[in-house]
Amino acid sequence: MDSLKIIIASNIQALRKSYPLTQAELAEKLNYSDKAVSKWERGESVPDIEILVKISELFGVSVDYLVKDHGDEAPKVTVNEKKISLRNRILIPILSIILVWAIATIAVIVLDYVSPSFKYNWLIMLSAAVISLIIALVFNSIWGIGKVNYVIISLMLWMILWLIYRLLLKEFPVFFAIGIPGQVLIILSSFLSYRNKK
């Protein structure tokens, strides 16, 4: 078992360095602590099978690759593949968000032409902003940094509260006080979910 620990440790370290990622960056992507990654790379512990699968998906290798000795052979990840992957991870969310704003803008123009008395164009644009945040949340959950999700969720909370206030509760500005415990819950959950996975 000790030799398997060393093999897995060596493979994780080689893959991480080939990308290149720090231990903290890899830990962030796996929603673990950098101490856990350090232990894996020193062969003091082995990630469970679920995390091995996540690591294999992250680096584009099989789980079999992670548990086999490859000697001094460097992982087969080319710089070009990394650039394409990173470029796609940036471009796909941006293009999706641009599409949402294009549709919202067209809707506002059409409504302005068809019904000039329509006074809720701001609602369409605010909806586009919320949808953009949902898209950002989804793509960041797949490819991004876990802690950024909490920032996105916070923005969504305050936008939704503002939307409800503008539509229904203009006479009750104290309504925004609901956001305070919501924000505290978001902050606490971000801290707890990160700290529990060591």
XYZ file of all heavy atoms in Angstrom, residues 59-128:
556
model
N -7.473 16.964 -14.772
C -6.249 16.930 -15.576
C -6.408 16.165 -16.897
O -5.457 16.050 -17.667
C -5.103 16.332 -14.761
C -4.682 17.193 -13.608
C -4.737 16.717 -12.312
C -4.242 18.489 -13.815
C -4.342 17.515 -11.242
C -3.848 19.290 -12.757
C -3.902 18.808 -11.474
N -7.592 15.631 -17.146
C -7.840 14.946 -18.415
C -7.118 13.625 -18.550
O -6.652 13.257 -19.630
N -6.982 12.899 -17.448
C -6.358 11.573 -17.470
C -7.346 10.587 -16.850
O -8.356 10.980 -16.274
C -5.017 11.558 -16.688
C -3.992 12.468 -17.340
C -5.205 11.900 -15.231
N -7.036 9.305 -16.952
C -7.896 8.303 -16.330
C -7.461 8.085 -14.883
O -6.330 8.425 -14.501
C -7.803 6.976 -17.100
O -6.499 6.450 -16.985
N -8.335 7.499 -14.090
C -7.968 7.137 -12.719
C -6.845 6.108 -12.768
O -5.927 6.127 -11.935
C -9.194 6.600 -11.935
C -8.788 6.085 -10.569
C -10.262 7.673 -11.798
N -6.888 5.251 -13.777
C -5.836 4.255 -13.975
C -4.468 4.924 -14.105
O -3.477 4.440 -13.569
C -6.166 3.441 -15.242
C -5.225 2.276 -15.431
O -5.054 1.505 -14.472
O -4.665 2.144 -16.537
N -4.432 6.059 -14.792
C -3.182 6.806 -14.943
C -2.648 7.244 -13.581
O -1.440 7.211 -13.338
C -3.408 8.037 -15.833
C -2.160 8.853 -16.068
C -1.358 8.627 -17.179
C -1.785 9.860 -15.175
C -0.206 9.379 -17.387
C -0.640 10.610 -15.373
C 0.150 10.367 -16.481
O 1.290 11.098 -16.686
N -3.544 7.631 -12.687
C -3.128 8.130 -11.373
C -2.534 7.047 -10.481
O -1.720 7.336 -9.611
C -4.311 8.783 -10.643
C -4.853 10.078 -11.240
C -6.128 10.500 -10.516
C -3.812 11.177 -11.158
N -2.927 5.793 -10.690
C -2.471 4.722 -9.793
C -1.358 3.859 -10.390
O -0.933 2.896 -9.766
C -3.658 3.827 -9.349
C -4.665 4.630 -8.564
C -4.307 3.135 -10.526
N -0.874 4.227 -11.577
C 0.216 3.461 -12.209
C 1.505 4.265 -12.208
O 1.494 5.479 -12.363
C -0.159 3.081 -13.633
C -1.193 1.988 -13.694
C -1.293 1.404 -15.061
C -2.263 0.235 -15.038
N -2.506 -0.274 -16.362
N 2.612 3.548 -12.072
C 3.928 4.189 -12.069
C 4.324 4.539 -13.498
O 4.260 3.709 -14.399
C 4.957 3.240 -11.457
C 6.311 3.889 -11.262
O 6.395 5.131 -11.387
O 7.283 3.167 -10.973
N 4.732 5.781 -13.706
C 5.153 6.249 -15.028
C 6.630 6.607 -15.047
O 7.118 7.214 -16.002
C 4.316 7.463 -15.459
C 2.851 7.182 -15.455
N 2.224 6.425 -16.422
C 1.875 7.521 -14.566
C 0.936 6.322 -16.139
N 0.704 6.976 -15.019
N 7.334 6.248 -13.984
C 8.752 6.550 -13.904
C 8.993 8.047 -13.957
O 8.273 8.832 -13.350
N 9.994 8.441 -14.719
C 10.316 9.866 -14.848
C 9.588 10.508 -16.017
O 9.808 11.678 -16.314
C 11.836 10.053 -15.035
C 12.597 9.687 -13.764
O 11.985 9.784 -12.683
O 13.776 9.302 -13.854
N 8.756 9.728 -16.685
C 8.029 10.240 -17.856
C 7.072 11.351 -17.412
O 6.287 11.198 -16.487
C 7.230 9.090 -18.474
C 6.390 9.470 -19.660
C 5.534 8.292 -20.113
O 5.957 7.136 -19.982
O 4.432 8.555 -20.604
N 7.167 12.481 -18.079
C 6.300 13.624 -17.755
C 4.874 13.339 -18.215
O 4.665 12.622 -19.196
C 6.822 14.880 -18.439
N 3.887 13.880 -17.526
C 2.498 13.700 -17.966
C 2.319 14.221 -19.385
O 2.930 15.200 -19.779
C 1.693 14.547 -16.980
C 2.594 14.778 -15.825
C 3.992 14.697 -16.329
N 1.464 13.558 -20.140
C 1.257 13.922 -21.543
C 0.206 15.017 -21.659
O -0.907 14.787 -22.081
C 0.853 12.694 -22.346
C 1.938 11.650 -22.387
C 1.514 10.404 -23.101
C 2.620 9.375 -23.060
N 2.243 8.103 -23.628
N 0.598 16.199 -21.244
C -0.269 17.372 -21.360
C 0.541 18.425 -22.091
O 1.567 18.864 -21.606
C -0.683 17.907 -19.967
C -1.551 19.136 -20.110
C -1.393 16.832 -19.180
N 0.089 18.786 -23.266
C 0.848 19.765 -24.022
C 0.422 21.173 -23.653
O -0.705 21.399 -23.219
C 0.637 19.578 -25.548
O -0.724 19.865 -25.836
C 0.985 18.179 -25.987
N 1.326 22.105 -23.835
C 1.035 23.505 -23.532
C -0.131 23.981 -24.386
O -1.003 24.701 -23.926
C 2.293 24.369 -23.785
C 1.964 25.843 -23.634
C 3.398 23.969 -22.824
N -0.188 23.546 -25.633
C -1.247 23.959 -26.547
C -2.618 23.521 -26.031
O -3.579 24.278 -26.060
C -0.972 23.396 -27.936
C -1.771 24.120 -28.999
O -2.143 25.262 -28.817
N -2.027 23.447 -30.096
N -2.703 22.268 -25.538
C -3.971 21.773 -24.996
C -4.397 22.600 -23.789
O -5.567 22.917 -23.620
C -3.843 20.303 -24.578
C -3.788 19.328 -25.727
C -3.483 17.918 -25.239
O -3.160 17.736 -24.060
O -3.559 17.005 -26.063
N -3.421 22.965 -22.932
C -3.752 23.764 -21.755
C -4.276 25.128 -22.165
O -5.237 25.618 -21.592
C -2.513 23.928 -20.862
C -2.138 22.675 -20.119
C -1.044 22.957 -19.128
C 0.283 23.028 -19.843
N 1.428 23.133 -18.937
N -3.652 25.747 -23.179
C -4.086 27.067 -23.626
C -5.491 27.008 -24.211
O -6.316 27.862 -23.943
C -3.109 27.633 -24.665
C -1.834 28.154 -24.060
C -0.950 28.752 -25.117
C 0.351 29.254 -24.512
N 1.291 29.720 -25.517
N -5.757 25.973 -25.026
C -7.086 25.825 -25.623
C -8.125 25.622 -24.521
O -9.169 26.250 -24.518
C -7.108 24.658 -26.637
C -6.282 25.025 -27.867
C -8.537 24.309 -27.025
C -6.042 23.876 -28.811
N -7.804 24.762 -23.568
C -8.741 24.485 -22.493
C -9.021 25.747 -21.683
O -10.168 26.077 -21.407
C -8.173 23.396 -21.588
O -9.007 23.182 -20.506
N -7.976 26.474 -21.318
C -8.150 27.699 -20.553
C -8.924 28.740 -21.358
O -9.827 29.389 -20.839
C -6.788 28.258 -20.133
C -6.810 29.538 -19.309
C -7.578 29.318 -18.011
C -5.409 30.011 -19.020
N -8.590 28.857 -22.649
C -9.291 29.816 -23.504
C -10.777 29.478 -23.580
O -11.630 30.355 -23.470
C -8.658 29.831 -24.904
C -9.255 30.898 -25.804
C -8.572 30.953 -27.146
N -8.799 29.732 -27.874
C -7.872 29.101 -28.594
N -6.657 29.585 -28.677
N -8.159 28.000 -29.242
N -11.106 28.194 -23.749
C -12.515 27.787 -23.809
C -13.227 28.040 -22.490
O -14.397 28.434 -22.476
C -12.635 26.312 -24.181
C -12.323 26.073 -25.643
O -12.246 27.013 -26.427
N -12.120 24.826 -26.006
N -12.537 27.837 -21.394
C -13.140 28.055 -20.083
C -13.452 29.527 -19.845
O -14.306 29.855 -19.039
C -12.226 27.524 -18.977
C -12.164 26.028 -18.955
C -11.220 25.536 -17.909
N -11.148 24.088 -17.954
C -10.630 23.342 -17.011
N -10.104 23.899 -15.945
N -10.602 22.037 -17.125
N -12.741 30.394 -20.524
C -13.005 31.827 -20.413
C -14.036 32.264 -21.455
O -14.972 32.995 -21.157
C -11.692 32.634 -20.563
C -10.782 32.346 -19.363
C -11.971 34.125 -20.688
C -9.376 32.854 -19.513
N -13.864 31.784 -22.697
C -14.725 32.247 -23.793
C -16.173 31.755 -23.700
O -17.099 32.508 -23.999
C -14.139 31.828 -25.139
C -12.968 32.654 -25.646
C -12.443 32.100 -26.962
C -13.367 34.108 -25.817
N -16.368 30.514 -23.317
C -17.734 29.961 -23.297
C -18.649 30.746 -22.346
O -19.738 31.170 -22.738
C -17.723 28.444 -22.981
C -17.092 27.680 -24.159
C -19.121 27.924 -22.694
C -16.821 26.220 -23.881
N -18.234 31.002 -21.088
C -19.110 31.821 -20.230
C -19.307 33.237 -20.764
O -20.422 33.777 -20.707
C -18.387 31.843 -18.883
C -17.421 30.726 -18.917
C -17.090 30.476 -20.335
N -18.236 33.855 -21.288
C -18.361 35.224 -21.801
C -19.328 35.275 -22.971
O -20.196 36.149 -23.034
C -16.968 35.792 -22.191
C -16.148 36.066 -20.928
C -17.101 37.062 -23.026
C -14.714 36.455 -21.191
N -19.202 34.331 -23.896
C -20.118 34.306 -25.042
C -21.564 34.067 -24.598
O -22.492 34.669 -25.139
C -19.681 33.243 -26.049
C -18.397 33.547 -26.828
C -17.979 32.351 -27.669
C -18.576 34.779 -27.700
N -21.748 33.215 -23.600
C -23.098 32.949 -23.087
C -23.706 34.203 -22.481
O -24.879 34.525 -22.714
C -23.052 31.837 -22.031
O -22.522 30.656 -22.569
N -22.910 34.936 -21.713
C -23.400 36.168 -21.079
C -23.685 37.240 -22.127
O -24.699 37.945 -22.052
C -22.396 36.646 -20.006
C -22.425 35.665 -18.821
C -22.705 38.065 -19.547
C -21.314 35.854 -17.806
N -22.818 37.348 -23.139
C -23.060 38.311 -24.221
C -24.364 37.981 -24.934
O -25.147 38.877 -25.274
C -21.871 38.343 -25.209
C -20.666 39.014 -24.535
C -22.236 39.069 -26.499
C -19.380 38.906 -25.324
N -24.633 36.703 -25.157
C -25.879 36.289 -25.811
C -27.095 36.707 -24.978
O -28.083 37.215 -25.521
C -25.875 34.772 -26.034
C -27.121 34.189 -26.693
C -27.291 34.760 -28.108
C -27.053 32.681 -26.728
N -27.024 36.539 -23.663
C -28.130 36.947 -22.785
C -28.380 38.446 -22.928
O -29.531 38.891 -23.079
C -27.813 36.590 -21.312
C -28.779 37.286 -20.359
C -27.873 35.087 -21.105
N -27.308 39.253 -22.906
C -27.463 40.709 -23.013
C -27.945 41.126 -24.397
O -28.705 42.083 -24.530
C -26.155 41.411 -22.642
C -25.980 41.419 -21.156
C -25.242 40.550 -20.423
C -26.599 42.301 -20.225
N -25.351 40.837 -19.082
C -26.170 41.915 -18.936
C -27.461 43.380 -20.345
C -26.588 42.576 -17.778
C -27.869 44.040 -19.189
C -27.434 43.645 -17.929
N -27.536 40.401 -25.430
C -28.012 40.702 -26.785
C -29.527 40.453 -26.878
O -30.270 41.280 -27.423
C -27.262 39.857 -27.808
N -29.976 39.340 -26.330
C -31.412 39.025 -26.341
C -32.190 40.072 -25.537
O -33.246 40.548 -25.973
C -31.662 37.598 -25.800
C -31.103 36.564 -26.782
C -33.148 37.362 -25.537
C -31.055 35.147 -26.238
N -31.662 40.458 -24.374
C -32.335 41.466 -23.549
C -32.407 42.808 -24.269
O -33.447 43.484 -24.249
C -31.601 41.626 -22.210
N -31.323 43.186 -24.940
C -31.303 44.459 -25.665
C -32.306 44.446 -26.820
O -33.049 45.414 -27.019
C -29.878 44.748 -26.198
O -28.972 44.730 -25.093
C -29.803 46.077 -26.897
N -32.354 43.345 -27.552
C -33.321 43.220 -28.657
C -34.754 43.291 -28.109
O -35.620 43.963 -28.678
C -33.088 41.913 -29.446
C -31.763 42.015 -30.224
C -34.252 41.619 -30.383
C -31.278 40.705 -30.797
N -34.992 42.627 -26.974
C -36.333 42.650 -26.366
C -36.726 44.076 -25.981
O -37.860 44.509 -26.215
C -36.377 41.735 -25.150
N -35.775 44.838 -25.409
C -36.059 46.225 -25.022
C -36.361 47.069 -26.257
O -37.318 47.860 -26.271
C -34.872 46.824 -24.223
C -34.989 48.330 -24.097
C -34.796 46.178 -22.838
N -35.587 46.913 -27.324
C -35.804 47.685 -28.553
C -37.156 47.364 -29.166
O -37.911 48.263 -29.556
C -34.657 47.430 -29.559
C -33.352 48.033 -29.027
C -34.986 47.986 -30.936
C -32.105 47.593 -29.790
N -37.480 46.068 -29.236
C -38.764 45.653 -29.819
C -39.922 46.182 -28.969
O -40.891 46.723 -29.507
C -38.828 44.113 -29.962
C -40.241 43.646 -30.278
C -37.853 43.643 -31.033
N -39.838 46.039 -27.664
C -40.910 46.533 -26.789
C -41.047 48.045 -26.873
O -42.159 48.580 -26.845
C -40.659 46.116 -25.341
C -41.087 44.702 -24.981
C -40.591 44.331 -23.598
C -42.602 44.555 -25.039
N -39.921 48.741 -26.986
C -39.954 50.195 -27.106
C -40.625 50.616 -28.412
O -41.337 51.612 -28.464
C -38.525 50.745 -27.026
C -38.514 52.212 -26.655
O -39.401 52.629 -25.890
O -37.619 52.930 -27.136
N -40.417 49.841 -29.461
C -41.016 50.137 -30.768
C -42.506 49.781 -30.776
O -43.337 50.551 -31.234
C -40.272 49.371 -31.857
C -40.816 49.612 -33.237
C -40.565 50.813 -33.903
C -41.594 48.640 -33.872
C -41.084 51.035 -35.169
C -42.109 48.863 -35.131
C -41.850 50.055 -35.785
O -42.360 50.274 -37.028
N -42.835 48.591 -30.243
C -44.216 48.108 -30.258
C -45.081 48.855 -29.249
O -46.219 49.215 -29.539
C -44.266 46.586 -29.979
C -45.688 46.087 -29.798
C -43.579 45.821 -31.084
N -44.542 49.080 -28.067
C -45.316 49.727 -27.005
C -44.457 50.772 -26.296
O -43.847 50.482 -25.267
C -45.791 48.660 -26.013
O -46.472 49.249 -24.946
N -44.396 51.988 -26.851
C -43.555 53.039 -26.257
C -43.941 53.388 -24.812
O -43.129 53.921 -24.072
C -43.765 54.245 -27.172
C -44.351 53.706 -28.423
C -45.048 52.435 -28.071
N -45.156 53.066 -24.415
C -45.596 53.394 -23.054
C -45.136 52.353 -22.023
O -45.330 52.546 -20.825
C -47.115 53.519 -23.012
O -47.703 52.281 -23.362
N -44.531 51.272 -22.475
C -44.043 50.227 -21.559
C -42.924 50.804 -20.694
O -41.918 51.276 -21.198
C -43.563 49.009 -22.355
C -43.154 47.846 -21.503
C -44.105 47.095 -20.826
C -41.814 47.501 -21.371
C -43.728 46.011 -20.042
C -41.438 46.417 -20.595
C -42.406 45.673 -19.927
N -43.113 50.765 -19.372
C -42.182 51.434 -18.461
C -41.319 50.459 -17.662
O -40.720 50.839 -16.662
C -42.963 52.326 -17.513
C -43.784 53.371 -18.219
C -43.866 54.618 -17.415
C -44.746 55.688 -17.978
N -44.659 56.027 -19.314
N -41.269 49.209 -18.080
C -40.530 48.216 -17.300
C -39.334 47.637 -18.062
O -38.942 46.499 -17.852
C -41.468 47.086 -16.860
C -42.487 47.546 -15.857
C -43.782 47.857 -16.250
C -42.141 47.694 -14.526
C -44.720 48.295 -15.329
C -43.072 48.129 -13.595
C -44.355 48.428 -14.000
O -45.270 48.866 -13.075
N -38.732 48.452 -18.934
C -37.537 47.988 -19.642
C -36.413 47.647 -18.665
O -35.607 46.746 -18.909
C -37.049 49.035 -20.643
C -37.952 49.113 -21.853
O -38.707 48.187 -22.131
N -37.893 50.212 -22.576
N -36.355 48.375 -17.553
C -35.329 48.100 -16.538
C -35.465 46.677 -16.000
O -34.468 46.046 -15.634
C -35.428 49.110 -15.386
C -36.745 49.045 -14.658
C -37.884 49.739 -14.936
C -37.062 48.199 -13.548
N -38.885 49.399 -14.066
C -38.413 48.456 -13.197
C -36.345 47.270 -12.804
C -39.048 47.802 -12.146
C -36.981 46.619 -11.766
C -38.324 46.883 -11.441
N -36.704 46.157 -15.983
C -36.938 44.801 -15.493
C -36.266 43.769 -16.403
O -35.684 42.793 -15.926
C -38.440 44.545 -15.390
C -38.876 43.184 -14.878
C -38.365 42.955 -13.466
C -40.391 43.077 -14.904
N -36.329 44.005 -17.699
C -35.691 43.101 -18.661
C -34.177 43.117 -18.451
O -33.527 42.069 -18.410
C -36.046 43.492 -20.106
C -37.550 43.289 -20.343
C -35.232 42.698 -21.112
C -38.070 43.868 -21.628
N -33.605 44.311 -18.269
C -32.160 44.410 -18.097
C -31.722 43.811 -16.758
O -30.685 43.159 -16.674
C -31.703 45.865 -18.222
C -32.004 46.458 -19.591
S -31.538 45.371 -20.952
C -30.041 46.127 -21.465
N -32.520 44.007 -15.717
C -32.187 43.410 -14.423
C -32.276 41.890 -14.502
O -31.441 41.182 -13.939
C -33.107 43.945 -13.328
C -32.793 43.448 -11.918
C -31.416 43.903 -11.462
C -33.842 43.924 -10.935
N -33.263 41.395 -15.239
C -33.375 39.945 -15.437
C -32.148 39.415 -16.174
O -31.636 38.336 -15.851
C -34.641 39.610 -16.226
O -35.780 40.037 -15.531
N -31.670 40.182 -17.157
C -30.455 39.783 -17.875
C -29.264 39.724 -16.930
O -28.423 38.825 -17.026
C -30.175 40.745 -19.029
